[in-house]
Amino acid sequence: MQTQNSEHIDQRVNDLIALYSGPSRATAALLCDGHPENSLAFRIVREDFSTTEITFCELRTRSEKLAHALYSEGFRAGDRIATLMGKSQEYLETILAIWRLGAVHVPLFTAFAGPAIEMRLTSSGTKAVFSDAVHLDKLKEIRGAGQGDNWVIVSGDKVDDGDFRFEDLMSAGQPDYAPFVGNGDTTFIEIYTSGTTGTPKGVPVPVKALASFRAYAEFGLNLRADDVFWNAADPGWGYGLYFGILAVLTTGVAGLLYTGKFSAEATFRILEQEKVTNFTAAPTVYRSLRTYEGKTPSLRLRCASAAGEPLTPDVNRWAPEALGVEVHDHFGQTEAGMVVNNHHHPELHQPIRPGSMGRPMPGWSATILDEKTLKPLGPGRPGLLAFELSKSPMAWFEGYIGAPKKTAERLTPDGKWYVTGDIAKFDEDGMYYFSSRDDDVIIMAGYRIGPFEVESVLVTHPAVVECAVIALPDELRGQVLEAVVALADGVSPSEELTQELQAKVKKEYAAHAYPRRIHYKSALPKTPSGKVQRFRLRQELTEDEKGAQA
């Protein structure tokens, strides 16, 4: 199925591909130097809600100095340089200096523990790590265990001989450092998948991927020059980096960065204080806002978007009155960017359908494949969501680093398809609906059940804040459906509530797909990016079952 676009949209796709592909492409020039010098790049909101601003001119000058200092210390194009940094001006200066040098940025999520950091730095062959002072203990611990002696650490405080203070490097550098010139195939980011379905895998991101990232900023988010834009996702992960940082640097539309910890109260205050017009965040954020008991402030939102995991229908029952707009669900992956969206762009906008993640983005051609034959399926039939590469000119993924077997799971041997690994379906109008990861599909008594569809019913109950549906082994049915539910404040678990939730699924989804047991927890385990960790719930419930039988 292909989205039908106007000639204007098709031409814009071609223009973006031409801009970021081909020879003689300087990443820093594309992302910084081409914007008006005095235009605002980012407004940084501190935890006390005070703000500071940085222009593209300031970003250029300071990243030039830092790149020059790195070159003087022996770092070169192609070197891997990591960031273990929060959202700050120093972070922005660092990543632009990395790209100006022609080096490759390795993003690290600041909540990672030592082993997760060490794995990514070792796998990537990182030569330098820029770290905030508050995270230095993690790096010291890795070094104390005999690893990481070959990494240079740059921080606010010098760690060991051979390491550097950030400001010392900045002071030693000279402006007017010419940006490295590569081409559209030059790798400028090496980012790792979340590891929710196996060992994290390194994804090389080429400069030409910026065409797809910017297309999402324009088509999916409909960023405009007069927008106040805030992507609340963390840039240690793909959505925050691609579409919180790079969306700003490609379009020149100023963005917000919040340095504090998430809370519903802080989020509402920033939306009001900064007069945000274009907001995007994980569905978990919207569910937290929905349960906020304080007074909802006056907002100016024009667009609201969600990504990272499926958006459950309860959010859009609440959002129009509370936020003033519907929340548009968007789907993407680290390996592709955003590829199926409820687009905000006026030429692509369609009415929101509950449970639908929208239509393929221009530049991408999607369909559903049979899991065994890899043949296209028709409307209403669940299968593997895939993209036909010959008809998807914005596709850029060519394989994981050093993982040919995992690459083969994404790129078919004939080179025809990029297979997402997600189960979905589309309707007669070409609207796509997410069902599950392929390893989350539940087969019970011969029925295939996507957990998201059951979760979408459960979460609309006023007592339910969030939930996850999983399967456990069952001698009779093969697998049996179970749900784990976090309840709203003031609501207690009861057998009556369990029966009520089971009846709701039978009535609103399917009689055979109700959860046979419902477990109640205060909160669900999540990845740092906010995705529910169903595998942990399966482990916990399996262990509980074994303990009960012992």
Side-chain angles (χ1 to χ4, degrees), residues 14 101 126 137 298 324 381 510:
N14 293 333
L101 180 68
T126 287
D137 285 346
S298 175
R381 300 182 62 186

Side-chain angles (χ1 to χ4, degrees), residues 463-468 484-488 519-524 526:
V464 177
V465 174
E466 58 182 356
C467 66
V484 183
V485 170
L487 296 175
H519 310 265
Y520 297 98
K521 290 183 176 291
S522 58
L524 304 185
K526 299 183 180 69

Side-chain angles (χ1 to χ4, degrees), residues 235-448:
W237 296 102
Y239 192 74
L241 177 58
Y242 296 171
F243 308 114
I245 304 300
L246 294 175
V248 169
L249 298 180
T250 54
T251 63
V253 175
L256 292 180
L257 291 179
Y258 175 51
T259 65
K261 295 181 180 179
F262 167 78
S263 73
E265 182 178 7
T267 301
F268 270 129
R269 176 165 176 174
I270 294 168
L271 289 171
E272 181 180 39
Q273 171 183 299
E274 300 301 320
K275 300 179 175 61
V276 175
T277 61
N278 201 315
F279 179 63
T280 182
T284 304
V285 170
Y286 290 102
R287 287 193 286 269
S288 296
L289 296 178
R290 182 174 64 86
T291 58
Y292 176 63
E293 295 183 351
K295 181 180 179 181
T296 302
S298 175
L299 304 179
R300 300 190 181 186
L301 286 176
R302 182 178 65 83
C303 299
S305 309
E309 63 179 356
L311 185 72
T312 44
D314 58 301
V315 171
N316 273 332
R317 294 185 182 181
W318 157 84
E321 181 176 351
L323 302 181
V325 293
E326 287 185 300
V327 181
H328 288 217
D329 192 17
H330 297 161
F331 170 87
Q333 295 189 314
T334 304
E335 301 92 331
M338 306 308 290
V339 286
V340 179
N341 310 305
N342 285 290
H343 299 90
H344 286 285
H345 192 286
E347 294 183 45
L348 300 169
H349 175 78
Q350 296 284 336
I352 298 293
R353 296 188 184 182
S356 175
M357 56 189 180
R359 297 176 183 271
M361 190 170 76
W364 294 85
S365 177
T367 195
I368 302 298
L369 301 179
D370 182 272
E371 294 174 73
K372 294 182 179 179
T373 66
L374 296 183
K375 300 295 185 183
L377 298 172
R381 300 182 62 186
L384 288 167
L385 175 62
F387 294 85
E388 190 170 0
L389 293 175
S390 65
K391 297 180 181 179
S392 300
M394 284 195 168
W396 51 267
F397 176 74
E398 295 182 356
Y400 300 113
I401 297 172
K405 291 184 178 180
K406 291 297 181 181
T407 297
E409 296 175 6
R410 292 287 171 266
L411 301 174
T412 56
D414 59 5
K416 186 173 184 178
W417 302 102
Y418 168 76
V419 182
T420 64
D422 292 294
I423 303 299
K425 61 185 178 182
F426 63 86
D427 62 22
E428 294 284 354
D429 297 321
M431 299 290 285
Y432 280 72
Y433 298 79
F434 178 88
S435 179
S436 69
R437 293 287 306 176
D438 57 359
D439 51 359
D440 281 336
V441 170
I442 299 166
I443 302 177
M444 186 175 70
Y447 292 102
R448 295 175 58 84

